[in-house]
Amino acid sequence: MIGKTIKVIPVLAIFFLASCQKTVNDDALTVRLSIQDQSVKTSLGGLSGGQYPVLWSEGDVVVLNGVSSSALSSDEASSATATFRFKGSITAPYNFLYCGVSGKDNEVSFSGVQTLAVGNIPSCSLPMYAASLNLNSITMNHLGAVLKFAFTGTETISQIKISSLGGESLAGNFSMSKNASGLLDVATFAPSGSNTSTVMLDGNAVLSDTATEFLVVVPAGTYSSGFYGQIIASDGKIMEVYFNTKDHKTLSRAVLYNFGQSVFVPTGKVALAVSSTENFTKDTVSYE
């Protein structure tokens, strides 16, 4: 999976094609989102051609103008389309948020505790936004980046802690600015409320001679000094990791940064540097 060169990666855009009224009444608005050749969303599919497909997951919720949709059921997530339902009076401008804060139309949340999902990411950990004055053409964009690294060994990893060495916020709520029309424009994307400079992966992963991959979501942005990590085994022993982003001081949206692999050494230390980058693919969705 490690590429030989660093790629210039475009920001991910997920295109919505819509044909429905601008005003949503008290009857439920049904929004049917179709994923090309995929069945679930917001997990990452297998790397193919230097790209990871972004997929819908059970339990996903979209926030529209502060109104939360119903959560996707397992049945809904198991097909090539996902249906989101909203209730209430919703009018333009339309601000869509994934991992949004209910009651807010300009705020998303980056989780401070992410479920340890070997080789993948947990649901609702990659925030996205979209903004439009109508429902004819909406482009949804990621707000996060992903750190990827791998370990071999014999221990069971129970927790991973990642901190920004420069003190930048990694978890908590982040707010976005709006333009004169009330549309999100992300000219300003900044922490709001209570934030932390540490994010944790929590769970269990048994290491082996085959490298076990870990992925951590962080807000896209500038990190002056890279990241520091503690890889914690089930017996409490800790390996320290220093993540050198090299010339990637500013992490781009919708880009996975691969730090390669190392052997887990209890009470040891290792420095990992970005070895390659991969982007997330586009998915076409539609309203029906």
Side-chain angles (χ1 to χ4, degrees), residues 64 84 126 132-133 176 201 233 262:
L64 171 58
F84 292 91
L126 276 174
S132 179
L133 289 174
M176 291 163 274
L201 284 183
S262 182

Side-chain angles (χ1 to χ4, degrees), residues 14-25:
I14 296 179
F15 295 97
F16 285 41
L17 302 178
S19 58
C20 50
Q21 296 180 355
K22 295 181 180 180
T23 300
V24 180
N25 59 29

Side-chain angles (χ1 to χ4, degrees), residues 109-154:
S109 179
F110 283 84
S111 177
V113 180
Q114 300 172 21
T115 303
L116 197 160
V118 172
N120 219 313
I121 57 172
S123 178
C124 200
S125 60
L126 276 174
M128 297 183 288
Y129 83 98
S132 179
L133 289 174
N134 55 60
L135 295 175
N136 295 323
S137 181
I138 301 173
T139 302
M140 202 143 187
N141 303 283
H142 273 296
L143 293 165
V146 174
L147 310 181
K148 174 185 173 183
F149 47 93
F151 282 93
T152 59
T154 58

Side-chain angles (χ1 to χ4, degrees), residues 36-262:
Q36 285 184 331
D37 303 322
Q38 304 295 345
S39 60
V40 292
K41 189 190 173 304
T42 59
S43 59
L44 295 180
L47 178 66
S48 176
Q51 296 180 329
Y52 285 88
V54 183
L55 315 171
W56 285 123
S57 295
E58 177 184 356
D60 278 344
V61 171
V62 173
V63 176
L64 171 58
N65 290 10
V67 178
S68 297
S69 71
S70 57
L72 288 184
S73 68
S74 58
D75 290 339
E76 290 172 317
S78 64
S79 67
T81 59
T83 300
F84 292 91
R85 297 176 176 86
F86 302 89
K87 287 187 176 181
S89 179
I90 304 176
T91 59
Y94 300 105
N95 290 313
F96 292 82
L97 298 170
Y98 179 70
C99 303
V101 177
S102 184
K104 303 280 188 178
D105 65 353
N106 71 329
E107 203 164 299
V108 295
S109 179
F110 283 84
S111 177
V113 180
Q114 300 172 21
T115 303
L116 197 160
V118 172
N120 219 313
I121 57 172
S123 178
C124 200
S125 60
L126 276 174
M128 297 183 288
Y129 83 98
S132 179
L133 289 174
N134 55 60
L135 295 175
N136 295 323
S137 181
I138 301 173
T139 302
M140 202 143 187
N141 303 283
H142 273 296
L143 293 165
V146 174
L147 310 181
K148 174 185 173 183
F149 47 93
F151 282 93
T152 59
T154 58
E155 292 79 2
T156 296
I157 304 303
S158 61
Q159 193 176 78
I160 296 175
K161 295 181 180 179
I162 304 291
S163 301
S164 58
L165 287 170
E168 295 89 355
S169 294
L170 297 183
N173 292 354
F174 285 69
S175 62
M176 291 163 274
S177 56
K178 298 179 182 178
N179 62 22
S181 298
L183 297 172
L184 298 173
D185 61 10
V186 203
T188 300
F189 177 59
S192 59
S194 178
N195 298 82
T196 68
S197 59
T198 298
V199 64
M200 294 188 299
L201 284 183
D202 209 8
N204 289 297
V206 180
L207 300 182
S208 67
D209 292 337
T210 301
T212 299
E213 297 178 345
F214 302 96
L215 287 81
V216 179
V217 176
V218 297
T222 300
Y223 294 92
S224 59
S225 303
F227 303 89
Y228 166 74
Q230 290 186 334
I231 316 300
I232 305 171
S234 57
D235 61 3
K237 292 180 180 177
I238 298 174
M239 182 177 183
E240 296 181 286
V241 182
Y242 293 87
F243 296 90
N244 179 6
T245 60
K246 299 169 71 173
D247 58 337
H248 297 279
K249 296 299 182 184
T250 298
L251 303 188
S252 299
R253 299 170 187 166
V255 176
L256 180 147
Y257 295 83
N258 190 345
F259 288 85
Q261 70 181 63
S262 182

